[in-house]
PDB file of all heavy atoms in Angstrom:
ATOM      1  N   LEU A   1     -86.950 121.228 204.445  1.00  0.00           N
ATOM      2  CA  LEU A   1     -87.300 119.927 205.000  1.00  0.00           C
ATOM      3  C   LEU A   1     -86.654 119.770 206.362  1.00  0.00           C
ATOM      4  O   LEU A   1     -85.450 119.962 206.517  1.00  0.00           O
ATOM      5  CB  LEU A   1     -86.840 118.812 204.060  1.00  0.00           C
ATOM      6  CG  LEU A   1     -87.050 117.384 204.571  1.00  0.00           C
ATOM      7  CD1 LEU A   1     -88.541 117.062 204.653  1.00  0.00           C
ATOM      8  CD2 LEU A   1     -86.346 116.386 203.671  1.00  0.00           C
ATOM      9  N   VAL A   2     -87.458 119.401 207.348  1.00  0.00           N
ATOM     10  CA  VAL A   2     -86.969 119.158 208.696  1.00  0.00           C
ATOM     11  C   VAL A   2     -86.686 117.675 208.902  1.00  0.00           C
ATOM     12  O   VAL A   2     -85.613 117.287 209.366  1.00  0.00           O
ATOM     13  CB  VAL A   2     -87.972 119.657 209.752  1.00  0.00           C
ATOM     14  CG1 VAL A   2     -87.489 119.314 211.160  1.00  0.00           C
ATOM     15  CG2 VAL A   2     -88.195 121.158 209.607  1.00  0.00           C
ATOM     16  N   ALA A   3     -87.656 116.843 208.579  1.00  0.00           N
ATOM     17  CA  ALA A   3     -87.524 115.401 208.748  1.00  0.00           C
ATOM     18  C   ALA A   3     -88.475 114.691 207.808  1.00  0.00           C
ATOM     19  O   ALA A   3     -89.503 115.240 207.408  1.00  0.00           O
ATOM     20  CB  ALA A   3     -87.801 114.995 210.196  1.00  0.00           C
ATOM     21  N   HIS A   4     -88.144 113.464 207.503  1.00  0.00           N
ATOM     22  CA  HIS A   4     -88.868 112.672 206.516  1.00  0.00           C
ATOM     23  C   HIS A   4     -88.875 111.224 206.984  1.00  0.00           C
ATOM     24  O   HIS A   4     -87.885 110.740 207.553  1.00  0.00           O
ATOM     25  CB  HIS A   4     -88.156 112.828 205.164  1.00  0.00           C
ATOM     26  CG  HIS A   4     -88.582 111.907 204.079  1.00  0.00           C
ATOM     27  ND1 HIS A   4     -88.050 110.640 203.927  1.00  0.00           N
ATOM     28  CD2 HIS A   4     -89.464 112.076 203.065  1.00  0.00           C
ATOM     29  CE1 HIS A   4     -88.595 110.068 202.871  1.00  0.00           C
ATOM     30  NE2 HIS A   4     -89.451 110.920 202.331  1.00  0.00           N
ATOM     31  N   ILE A   5     -89.993 110.531 206.751  1.00  0.00           N
ATOM     32  CA  ILE A   5     -90.085 109.125 207.145  1.00  0.00           C
ATOM     33  C   ILE A   5     -90.842 108.349 206.081  1.00  0.00           C
ATOM     34  O   ILE A   5     -91.886 108.785 205.589  1.00  0.00           O
ATOM     35  CB  ILE A   5     -90.736 108.980 208.542  1.00  0.00           C
ATOM     36  CG1 ILE A   5     -90.709 107.523 209.003  1.00  0.00           C
ATOM     37  CG2 ILE A   5     -92.152 109.549 208.550  1.00  0.00           C
ATOM     38  CD1 ILE A   5     -91.069 107.357 210.476  1.00  0.00           C
ATOM     39  N   THR A   6     -90.322 107.198 205.706  1.00  0.00           N
ATOM     40  CA  THR A   6     -90.969 106.353 204.708  1.00  0.00           C
ATOM     41  C   THR A   6     -92.053 105.510 205.350  1.00  0.00           C
ATOM     42  O   THR A   6     -92.201 105.460 206.571  1.00  0.00           O
ATOM     43  CB  THR A   6     -89.952 105.435 204.021  1.00  0.00           C
ATOM     44  OG1 THR A   6     -89.460 104.479 204.972  1.00  0.00           O
ATOM     45  CG2 THR A   6     -88.796 106.233 203.441  1.00  0.00           C
ATOM     46  N   ARG A   7     -92.819 104.827 204.524  1.00  0.00           N
ATOM     47  CA  ARG A   7     -93.868 103.950 205.021  1.00  0.00           C
ATOM     48  C   ARG A   7     -93.301 102.898 205.969  1.00  0.00           C
ATOM     49  O   ARG A   7     -93.934 102.534 206.964  1.00  0.00           O
ATOM     50  CB  ARG A   7     -94.585 103.270 203.855  1.00  0.00           C
ATOM     51  CG  ARG A   7     -95.791 102.448 204.260  1.00  0.00           C
ATOM     52  CD  ARG A   7     -96.283 101.560 203.122  1.00  0.00           C
ATOM     53  NE  ARG A   7     -96.494 102.288 201.892  1.00  0.00           N
ATOM     54  CZ  ARG A   7     -95.722 102.182 200.814  1.00  0.00           C
ATOM     55  NH1 ARG A   7     -94.670 101.371 200.823  1.00  0.00           N
ATOM     56  NH2 ARG A   7     -96.007 102.881 199.726  1.00  0.00           N
ATOM     57  N   GLY A   8     -92.106 102.410 205.655  1.00  0.00           N
ATOM     58  CA  GLY A   8     -91.481 101.380 206.463  1.00  0.00           C
ATOM     59  C   GLY A   8     -90.703 101.881 207.657  1.00  0.00           C
ATOM     60  O   GLY A   8     -90.144 101.069 208.406  1.00  0.00           O
ATOM     61  N   GLY A   9     -90.627 103.205 207.843  1.00  0.00           N
ATOM     62  CA  GLY A   9     -89.983 103.748 209.019  1.00  0.00           C
ATOM     63  C   GLY A   9     -88.565 104.250 208.834  1.00  0.00           C
ATOM     64  O   GLY A   9     -87.912 104.626 209.814  1.00  0.00           O
ATOM     65  N   ASN A  10     -88.061 104.279 207.615  1.00  0.00           N
ATOM     66  CA  ASN A  10     -86.743 104.845 207.365  1.00  0.00           C
ATOM     67  C   ASN A  10     -86.814 106.364 207.496  1.00  0.00           C
ATOM     68  O   ASN A  10     -87.702 107.000 206.929  1.00  0.00           O
ATOM     69  CB  ASN A  10     -86.254 104.461 205.974  1.00  0.00           C
ATOM     70  CG  ASN A  10     -84.824 104.849 205.732  1.00  0.00           C
ATOM     71  OD1 ASN A  10     -83.978 104.721 206.610  1.00  0.00           O
ATOM     72  ND2 ASN A  10     -84.533 105.317 204.524  1.00  0.00           N
ATOM     73  N   THR A  11     -85.884 106.957 208.238  1.00  0.00           N
ATOM     74  CA  THR A  11     -85.954 108.382 208.544  1.00  0.00           C
ATOM     75  C   THR A  11     -84.780 109.164 207.991  1.00  0.00           C
ATOM     76  O   THR A  11     -83.696 108.624 207.744  1.00  0.00           O
ATOM     77  CB  THR A  11     -86.027 108.613 210.061  1.00  0.00           C
ATOM     78  OG1 THR A  11     -84.857 108.061 210.682  1.00  0.00           O
ATOM     79  CG2 THR A  11     -87.267 107.961 210.644  1.00  0.00           C
ATOM     80  N   HIS A  12     -85.002 110.443 207.814  1.00  0.00           N
ATOM     81  CA  HIS A  12     -83.988 111.390 207.372  1.00  0.00           C
ATOM     82  C   HIS A  12     -84.218 112.694 208.126  1.00  0.00           C
ATOM     83  O   HIS A  12     -85.356 113.122 208.305  1.00  0.00           O
ATOM     84  CB  HIS A  12     -84.095 111.628 205.863  1.00  0.00           C
ATOM     85  CG  HIS A  12     -83.297 112.798 205.380  1.00  0.00           C
ATOM     86  ND1 HIS A  12     -81.962 112.706 205.080  1.00  0.00           N
ATOM     87  CD2 HIS A  12     -83.651 114.092 205.155  1.00  0.00           C
ATOM     88  CE1 HIS A  12     -81.525 113.888 204.698  1.00  0.00           C
ATOM     89  NE2 HIS A  12     -82.527 114.748 204.732  1.00  0.00           N
ATOM     90  N   TYR A  13     -83.129 113.341 208.547  1.00  0.00           N
ATOM     91  CA  TYR A  13     -83.209 114.603 209.265  1.00  0.00           C
ATOM     92  C   TYR A  13     -82.290 115.636 208.653  1.00  0.00           C
ATOM     93  O   TYR A  13     -81.187 115.314 208.194  1.00  0.00           O
ATOM     94  CB  TYR A  13     -82.808 114.427 210.733  1.00  0.00           C
ATOM     95  CG  TYR A  13     -83.691 113.488 211.507  1.00  0.00           C
ATOM     96  CD1 TYR A  13     -83.390 112.138 211.603  1.00  0.00           C
ATOM     97  CD2 TYR A  13     -84.838 113.962 212.144  1.00  0.00           C
ATOM     98  CE1 TYR A  13     -84.206 111.280 212.315  1.00  0.00           C
ATOM     99  CE2 TYR A  13     -85.657 113.104 212.859  1.00  0.00           C
ATOM    100  CZ  TYR A  13     -85.335 111.768 212.939  1.00  0.00           C
ATOM    101  OH  TYR A  13     -86.153 110.916 213.650  1.00  0.00           O
ATOM    102  N   ASP A  14     -82.741 116.870 208.668  1.00  0.00           N
ATOM    103  CA  ASP A  14     -81.842 117.958 208.333  1.00  0.00           C
ATOM    104  C   ASP A  14     -80.759 118.045 209.407  1.00  0.00           C
ATOM    105  O   ASP A  14     -81.025 117.784 210.592  1.00  0.00           O
ATOM    106  CB  ASP A  14     -82.605 119.278 208.246  1.00  0.00           C
ATOM    107  CG  ASP A  14     -81.714 120.426 207.832  1.00  0.00           C
ATOM    108  OD1 ASP A  14     -81.444 120.563 206.627  1.00  0.00           O
ATOM    109  OD2 ASP A  14     -81.283 121.191 208.719  1.00  0.00           O
ATOM    110  N   SER A  15     -79.563 118.410 209.001  1.00  0.00           N
ATOM    111  CA  SER A  15     -78.446 118.443 209.941  1.00  0.00           C
ATOM    112  C   SER A  15     -78.687 119.396 211.111  1.00  0.00           C
ATOM    113  O   SER A  15     -78.144 119.194 212.202  1.00  0.00           O
ATOM    114  CB  SER A  15     -77.155 118.824 209.218  1.00  0.00           C
ATOM    115  OG  SER A  15     -77.255 120.104 208.632  1.00  0.00           O
ATOM    116  N   SER A  16     -79.498 120.420 210.908  1.00  0.00           N
ATOM    117  CA  SER A  16     -79.750 121.401 211.954  1.00  0.00           C
ATOM    118  C   SER A  16     -80.592 120.854 213.101  1.00  0.00           C
ATOM    119  O   SER A  16     -80.606 121.442 214.182  1.00  0.00           O
ATOM    120  CB  SER A  16     -80.430 122.640 211.370  1.00  0.00           C
ATOM    121  OG  SER A  16     -81.730 122.339 210.899  1.00  0.00           O
ATOM    122  N   VAL A  17     -81.296 119.742 212.875  1.00  0.00           N
ATOM    123  CA  VAL A  17     -82.166 119.193 213.912  1.00  0.00           C
ATOM    124  C   VAL A  17     -81.784 117.782 214.318  1.00  0.00           C
ATOM    125  O   VAL A  17     -82.332 117.253 215.299  1.00  0.00           O
ATOM    126  CB  VAL A  17     -83.649 119.216 213.482  1.00  0.00           C
ATOM    127  CG1 VAL A  17     -84.066 120.626 213.066  1.00  0.00           C
ATOM    128  CG2 VAL A  17     -83.905 118.228 212.348  1.00  0.00           C
ATOM    129  N   ALA A  18     -80.880 117.160 213.590  1.00  0.00           N
ATOM    130  CA  ALA A  18     -80.469 115.796 213.910  1.00  0.00           C
ATOM    131  C   ALA A  18     -79.950 115.716 215.340  1.00  0.00           C
ATOM    132  O   ALA A  18     -79.150 116.546 215.778  1.00  0.00           O
ATOM    133  CB  ALA A  18     -79.398 115.327 212.930  1.00  0.00           C
ATOM    134  N   GLY A  19     -80.423 114.719 216.066  1.00  0.00           N
ATOM    135  CA  GLY A  19     -80.038 114.553 217.453  1.00  0.00           C
ATOM    136  C   GLY A  19     -80.955 115.251 218.430  1.00  0.00           C
ATOM    137  O   GLY A  19     -80.916 114.960 219.636  1.00  0.00           O
ATOM    138  N   ARG A  20     -81.766 116.186 217.946  1.00  0.00           N
ATOM    139  CA  ARG A  20     -82.716 116.903 218.799  1.00  0.00           C
ATOM    140  C   ARG A  20     -84.162 116.546 218.501  1.00  0.00           C
ATOM    141  O   ARG A  20     -84.992 116.513 219.406  1.00  0.00           O
ATOM    142  CB  ARG A  20     -82.532 118.415 218.652  1.00  0.00           C
ATOM    143  CG  ARG A  20     -81.155 118.915 219.054  1.00  0.00           C
ATOM    144  CD  ARG A  20     -81.103 120.445 219.069  1.00  0.00           C
ATOM    145  NE  ARG A  20     -81.339 121.008 217.745  1.00  0.00           N
ATOM    146  CZ  ARG A  20     -82.337 121.850 217.448  1.00  0.00           C
ATOM    147  NH1 ARG A  20     -83.200 122.222 218.386  1.00  0.00           N
ATOM    148  NH2 ARG A  20     -82.472 122.315 216.216  1.00  0.00           N
ATOM    149  N   PHE A  21     -84.466 116.301 217.228  1.00  0.00           N
ATOM    150  CA  PHE A  21     -85.827 115.990 216.798  1.00  0.00           C
ATOM    151  C   PHE A  21     -85.935 114.512 216.436  1.00  0.00           C
ATOM    152  O   PHE A  21     -84.969 113.899 215.959  1.00  0.00           O
ATOM    153  CB  PHE A  21     -86.216 116.813 215.565  1.00  0.00           C
ATOM    154  CG  PHE A  21     -86.375 118.298 215.792  1.00  0.00           C
ATOM    155  CD1 PHE A  21     -85.997 118.899 216.985  1.00  0.00           C
ATOM    156  CD2 PHE A  21     -86.915 119.090 214.793  1.00  0.00           C
ATOM    157  CE1 PHE A  21     -86.137 120.265 217.181  1.00  0.00           C
ATOM    158  CE2 PHE A  21     -87.065 120.458 214.976  1.00  0.00           C
ATOM    159  CZ  PHE A  21     -86.678 121.047 216.166  1.00  0.00           C
ATOM    160  N   THR A  22     -87.119 113.955 216.615  1.00  0.00           N
ATOM    161  CA  THR A  22     -87.398 112.578 216.238  1.00  0.00           C
ATOM    162  C   THR A  22     -88.730 112.513 215.503  1.00  0.00           C
ATOM    163  O   THR A  22     -89.749 112.958 216.026  1.00  0.00           O
ATOM    164  CB  THR A  22     -87.450 111.653 217.460  1.00  0.00           C
ATOM    165  OG1 THR A  22     -86.212 111.713 218.176  1.00  0.00           O
ATOM    166  CG2 THR A  22     -87.698 110.209 217.021  1.00  0.00           C
ATOM    167  N   ILE A  23     -88.707 111.960 214.301  1.00  0.00           N
ATOM    168  CA  ILE A  23     -89.935 111.765 213.544  1.00  0.00           C
ATOM    169  C   ILE A  23     -90.379 110.315 213.683  1.00  0.00           C
ATOM    170  O   ILE A  23     -89.555 109.398 213.714  1.00  0.00           O
ATOM    171  CB  ILE A  23     -89.745 112.153 212.060  1.00  0.00           C
ATOM    172  CG1 ILE A  23     -91.094 112.155 211.324  1.00  0.00           C
ATOM    173  CG2 ILE A  23     -88.739 111.250 211.364  1.00  0.00           C
ATOM    174  CD1 ILE A  23     -91.024 112.764 209.926  1.00  0.00           C
ATOM    175  N   SER A  24     -91.685 110.108 213.788  1.00  0.00           N
ATOM    176  CA  SER A  24     -92.237 108.769 213.890  1.00  0.00           C
ATOM    177  C   SER A  24     -93.616 108.764 213.253  1.00  0.00           C
ATOM    178  O   SER A  24     -94.167 109.821 212.926  1.00  0.00           O
ATOM    179  CB  SER A  24     -92.310 108.308 215.355  1.00  0.00           C
ATOM    180  OG  SER A  24     -93.149 109.164 216.118  1.00  0.00           O
ATOM    181  N   ARG A  25     -94.186 107.577 213.075  1.00  0.00           N
ATOM    182  CA  ARG A  25     -95.510 107.496 212.470  1.00  0.00           C
ATOM    183  C   ARG A  25     -96.275 106.312 213.017  1.00  0.00           C
ATOM    184  O   ARG A  25     -95.690 105.315 213.467  1.00  0.00           O
ATOM    185  CB  ARG A  25     -95.420 107.416 210.941  1.00  0.00           C
ATOM    186  CG  ARG A  25     -94.743 106.161 210.410  1.00  0.00           C
ATOM    187  CD  ARG A  25     -94.462 106.283 208.911  1.00  0.00           C
ATOM    188  NE  ARG A  25     -95.677 106.238 208.111  1.00  0.00           N
ATOM    189  CZ  ARG A  25     -95.741 106.538 206.816  1.00  0.00           C
ATOM    190  NH1 ARG A  25     -94.636 106.930 206.183  1.00  0.00           N
ATOM    191  NH2 ARG A  25     -96.887 106.456 206.158  1.00  0.00           N
ATOM    192  N   ASP A  26     -97.587 106.418 212.955  1.00  0.00           N
ATOM    193  CA  ASP A  26     -98.492 105.352 213.323  1.00  0.00           C
ATOM    194  C   ASP A  26     -99.352 105.090 212.101  1.00  0.00           C
ATOM    195  O   ASP A  26    -100.295 105.832 211.823  1.00  0.00           O
ATOM    196  CB  ASP A  26     -99.343 105.748 214.528  1.00  0.00           C
ATOM    197  CG  ASP A  26    -100.228 104.624 215.026  1.00  0.00           C
ATOM    198  OD1 ASP A  26    -100.522 103.688 214.259  1.00  0.00           O
ATOM    199  OD2 ASP A  26    -100.635 104.678 216.204  1.00  0.00           O
ATOM    200  N   ASN A  27     -99.016 104.060 211.346  1.00  0.00           N
ATOM    201  CA  ASN A  27     -99.714 103.794 210.092  1.00  0.00           C
ATOM    202  C   ASN A  27    -101.185 103.447 210.301  1.00  0.00           C
ATOM    203  O   ASN A  27    -102.023 103.749 209.457  1.00  0.00           O
ATOM    204  CB  ASN A  27     -99.011 102.677 209.329  1.00  0.00           C
ATOM    205  CG  ASN A  27     -97.660 103.098 208.792  1.00  0.00           C
ATOM    206  OD1 ASN A  27     -97.396 104.282 208.596  1.00  0.00           O
ATOM    207  ND2 ASN A  27     -96.794 102.120 208.545  1.00  0.00           N
ATOM    208  N   ALA A  28    -101.501 102.812 211.415  1.00  0.00           N
ATOM    209  CA  ALA A  28    -102.886 102.462 211.701  1.00  0.00           C
ATOM    210  C   ALA A  28    -103.748 103.698 211.908  1.00  0.00           C
ATOM    211  O   ALA A  28    -104.957 103.662 211.674  1.00  0.00           O
ATOM    212  CB  ALA A  28    -102.966 101.550 212.919  1.00  0.00           C
ATOM    213  N   LYS A  29    -103.133 104.787 212.365  1.00  0.00           N
ATOM    214  CA  LYS A  29    -103.863 106.029 212.617  1.00  0.00           C
ATOM    215  C   LYS A  29    -103.608 107.091 211.561  1.00  0.00           C
ATOM    216  O   LYS A  29    -104.102 108.213 211.687  1.00  0.00           O
ATOM    217  CB  LYS A  29    -103.486 106.582 213.996  1.00  0.00           C
ATOM    218  CG  LYS A  29    -103.903 105.688 215.150  1.00  0.00           C
ATOM    219  CD  LYS A  29    -103.596 106.348 216.478  1.00  0.00           C
ATOM    220  CE  LYS A  29    -104.027 105.459 217.634  1.00  0.00           C
ATOM    221  NZ  LYS A  29    -105.509 105.271 217.649  1.00  0.00           N
ATOM    222  N   ASN A  30    -102.834 106.758 210.528  1.00  0.00           N
ATOM    223  CA  ASN A  30    -102.498 107.710 209.468  1.00  0.00           C
ATOM    224  C   ASN A  30    -101.931 109.006 210.044  1.00  0.00           C
ATOM    225  O   ASN A  30    -102.288 110.108 209.621  1.00  0.00           O
ATOM    226  CB  ASN A  30    -103.727 108.013 208.604  1.00  0.00           C
ATOM    227  CG  ASN A  30    -104.191 106.811 207.809  1.00  0.00           C
ATOM    228  OD1 ASN A  30    -103.390 105.966 207.411  1.00  0.00           O
ATOM    229  ND2 ASN A  30    -105.490 106.731 207.558  1.00  0.00           N
ATOM    230  N   THR A  31    -101.035 108.856 210.991  1.00  0.00           N
ATOM    231  CA  THR A  31    -100.516 110.002 211.726  1.00  0.00           C
ATOM    232  C   THR A  31     -98.993 109.982 211.762  1.00  0.00           C
ATOM    233  O   THR A  31     -98.382 108.923 211.930  1.00  0.00           O
ATOM    234  CB  THR A  31    -101.067 110.015 213.159  1.00  0.00           C
ATOM    235  OG1 THR A  31    -102.498 110.114 213.118  1.00  0.00           O
ATOM    236  CG2 THR A  31    -100.526 111.202 213.951  1.00  0.00           C
ATOM    237  N   VAL A  32     -98.398 111.159 211.620  1.00  0.00           N
ATOM    238  CA  VAL A  32     -96.964 111.338 211.759  1.00  0.00           C
ATOM    239  C   VAL A  32     -96.716 112.324 212.892  1.00  0.00           C
ATOM    240  O   VAL A  32     -97.496 113.256 213.107  1.00  0.00           O
ATOM    241  CB  VAL A  32     -96.318 111.817 210.442  1.00  0.00           C
ATOM    242  CG1 VAL A  32     -96.842 113.196 210.033  1.00  0.00           C
ATOM    243  CG2 VAL A  32     -94.806 111.825 210.550  1.00  0.00           C
ATOM    244  N   TYR A  33     -95.624 112.110 213.632  1.00  0.00           N
ATOM    245  CA  TYR A  33     -95.288 112.924 214.787  1.00  0.00           C
ATOM    246  C   TYR A  33     -93.896 113.521 214.620  1.00  0.00           C
ATOM    247  O   TYR A  33     -93.045 112.976 213.928  1.00  0.00           O
ATOM    248  CB  TYR A  33     -95.304 112.097 216.071  1.00  0.00           C
ATOM    249  CG  TYR A  33     -96.583 111.337 216.308  1.00  0.00           C
ATOM    250  CD1 TYR A  33     -96.712 110.016 215.887  1.00  0.00           C
ATOM    251  CD2 TYR A  33     -97.663 111.936 216.950  1.00  0.00           C
ATOM    252  CE1 TYR A  33     -97.880 109.312 216.100  1.00  0.00           C
ATOM    253  CE2 TYR A  33     -98.833 111.235 217.163  1.00  0.00           C
ATOM    254  CZ  TYR A  33     -98.945 109.927 216.742  1.00  0.00           C
ATOM    255  OH  TYR A  33    -100.114 109.234 216.954  1.00  0.00           O
ATOM    256  N   LEU A  34     -93.677 114.624 215.298  1.00  0.00           N
ATOM    257  CA  LEU A  34     -92.349 115.212 215.376  1.00  0.00           C
ATOM    258  C   LEU A  34     -92.093 115.614 216.820  1.00  0.00           C
ATOM    259  O   LEU A  34     -92.677 116.583 217.310  1.00  0.00           O
ATOM    260  CB  LEU A  34     -92.207 116.426 214.458  1.00  0.00           C
ATOM    261  CG  LEU A  34     -90.799 117.019 214.372  1.00  0.00           C
ATOM    262  CD1 LEU A  34     -89.846 116.040 213.689  1.00  0.00           C
ATOM    263  CD2 LEU A  34     -90.809 118.358 213.636  1.00  0.00           C
ATOM    264  N   GLN A  35     -91.251 114.856 217.500  1.00  0.00           N
ATOM    265  CA  GLN A  35     -90.845 115.187 218.855  1.00  0.00           C
ATOM    266  C   GLN A  35     -89.661 116.137 218.771  1.00  0.00           C
ATOM    267  O   GLN A  35     -88.629 115.789 218.198  1.00  0.00           O
ATOM    268  CB  GLN A  35     -90.464 113.931 219.629  1.00  0.00           C
ATOM    269  CG  GLN A  35     -89.975 114.190 221.049  1.00  0.00           C
ATOM    270  CD  GLN A  35     -91.051 114.740 221.951  1.00  0.00           C
ATOM    271  OE1 GLN A  35     -92.156 114.210 221.971  1.00  0.00           O
ATOM    272  NE2 GLN A  35     -90.746 115.796 222.684  1.00  0.00           N
ATOM    273  N   MET A  36     -89.804 117.318 219.340  1.00  0.00           N
ATOM    274  CA  MET A  36     -88.780 118.343 219.268  1.00  0.00           C
ATOM    275  C   MET A  36     -88.246 118.621 220.670  1.00  0.00           C
ATOM    276  O   MET A  36     -88.979 119.092 221.538  1.00  0.00           O
ATOM    277  CB  MET A  36     -89.333 119.623 218.643  1.00  0.00           C
ATOM    278  CG  MET A  36     -89.946 119.415 217.261  1.00  0.00           C
ATOM    279  SD  MET A  36     -90.456 120.964 216.472  1.00  0.00           S
ATOM    280  CE  MET A  36     -91.775 121.453 217.587  1.00  0.00           C
ATOM    281  N   ASN A  37     -86.982 118.327 220.889  1.00  0.00           N
ATOM    282  CA  ASN A  37     -86.325 118.555 222.165  1.00  0.00           C
ATOM    283  C   ASN A  37     -85.212 119.579 222.006  1.00  0.00           C
ATOM    284  O   ASN A  37     -84.749 119.848 220.899  1.00  0.00           O
ATOM    285  CB  ASN A  37     -85.750 117.245 222.715  1.00  0.00           C
ATOM    286  CG  ASN A  37     -86.795 116.198 222.985  1.00  0.00           C
ATOM    287  OD1 ASN A  37     -87.920 116.507 223.379  1.00  0.00           O
ATOM    288  ND2 ASN A  37     -86.427 114.938 222.796  1.00  0.00           N
ATOM    289  N   SER A  38     -84.770 120.118 223.128  1.00  0.00           N
ATOM    290  CA  SER A  38     -83.676 121.095 223.140  1.00  0.00           C
ATOM    291  C   SER A  38     -83.909 122.207 222.126  1.00  0.00           C
ATOM    292  O   SER A  38     -83.022 122.570 221.346  1.00  0.00           O
ATOM    293  CB  SER A  38     -82.338 120.395 222.870  1.00  0.00           C
ATOM    294  OG  SER A  38     -82.082 119.394 223.837  1.00  0.00           O
ATOM    295  N   LEU A  39     -85.100 122.753 222.141  1.00  0.00           N
ATOM    296  CA  LEU A  39     -85.475 123.750 221.147  1.00  0.00           C
ATOM    297  C   LEU A  39     -84.655 125.028 221.281  1.00  0.00           C
ATOM    298  O   LEU A  39     -84.303 125.447 222.386  1.00  0.00           O
ATOM    299  CB  LEU A  39     -86.963 124.066 221.261  1.00  0.00           C
ATOM    300  CG  LEU A  39     -87.873 122.995 220.651  1.00  0.00           C
ATOM    301  CD1 LEU A  39     -89.290 123.130 221.187  1.00  0.00           C
ATOM    302  CD2 LEU A  39     -87.866 123.098 219.131  1.00  0.00           C
ATOM    303  N   LYS A  40     -84.368 125.616 220.131  1.00  0.00           N
ATOM    304  CA  LYS A  40     -83.580 126.835 220.041  1.00  0.00           C
ATOM    305  C   LYS A  40     -84.411 127.937 219.391  1.00  0.00           C
ATOM    306  O   LYS A  40     -85.339 127.644 218.636  1.00  0.00           O
ATOM    307  CB  LYS A  40     -82.322 126.592 219.199  1.00  0.00           C
ATOM    308  CG  LYS A  40     -81.454 125.447 219.674  1.00  0.00           C
ATOM    309  CD  LYS A  40     -80.307 125.202 218.700  1.00  0.00           C
ATOM    310  CE  LYS A  40     -79.438 124.052 219.152  1.00  0.00           C
ATOM    311  NZ  LYS A  40     -78.327 123.799 218.207  1.00  0.00           N
ATOM    312  N   PRO A  41     -84.084 129.201 219.632  1.00  0.00           N
ATOM    313  CA  PRO A  41     -84.825 130.281 218.978  1.00  0.00           C
ATOM    314  C   PRO A  41     -84.851 130.150 217.459  1.00  0.00           C
ATOM    315  O   PRO A  41     -85.851 130.516 216.831  1.00  0.00           O
ATOM    316  CB  PRO A  41     -84.070 131.536 219.422  1.00  0.00           C
ATOM    317  CG  PRO A  41     -83.520 131.173 220.761  1.00  0.00           C
ATOM    318  CD  PRO A  41     -83.133 129.727 220.632  1.00  0.00           C
ATOM    319  N   GLU A  42     -83.793 129.636 216.871  1.00  0.00           N
ATOM    320  CA  GLU A  42     -83.743 129.481 215.431  1.00  0.00           C
ATOM    321  C   GLU A  42     -84.673 128.394 214.902  1.00  0.00           C
ATOM    322  O   GLU A  42     -84.838 128.248 213.690  1.00  0.00           O
ATOM    323  CB  GLU A  42     -82.308 129.222 214.944  1.00  0.00           C
ATOM    324  CG  GLU A  42     -81.597 128.126 215.701  1.00  0.00           C
ATOM    325  CD  GLU A  42     -80.710 128.659 216.815  1.00  0.00           C
ATOM    326  OE1 GLU A  42     -81.157 129.540 217.577  1.00  0.00           O
ATOM    327  OE2 GLU A  42     -79.558 128.188 216.931  1.00  0.00           O
TER     328      GLU A  42
END
């Protein structure tokens, strides 16, 4: 698991990506996003 988001927007991140990745969602579009910054080879 990399990241998780509830219907209401509560989020959880794996420690390896916390601070670098951001999960979000648009309920009207039934879409979830993952913004990944400072990417590493791992």
Side-chain angles (χ1 to χ4, degrees):
L1 176 67
V2 176
H4 169 274
I5 185 168
T6 67
R7 186 192 308 109
N10 188 40
T11 60
H12 167 84
Y13 298 92
D14 183 80
S15 61
S16 66
V17 306
R20 299 188 297 121
F21 292 9
T22 302
I23 189 170
S24 61
R25 65 191 290 169
D26 185 338
N27 291 337
K29 295 184 179 296
N30 293 328
T31 299
V32 63
Y33 306 94
L34 186 67
Q35 178 66 47
M36 304 185 294
N37 298 326
S38 301
L39 283 161
K40 305 175 181 180
E42 50 263 46

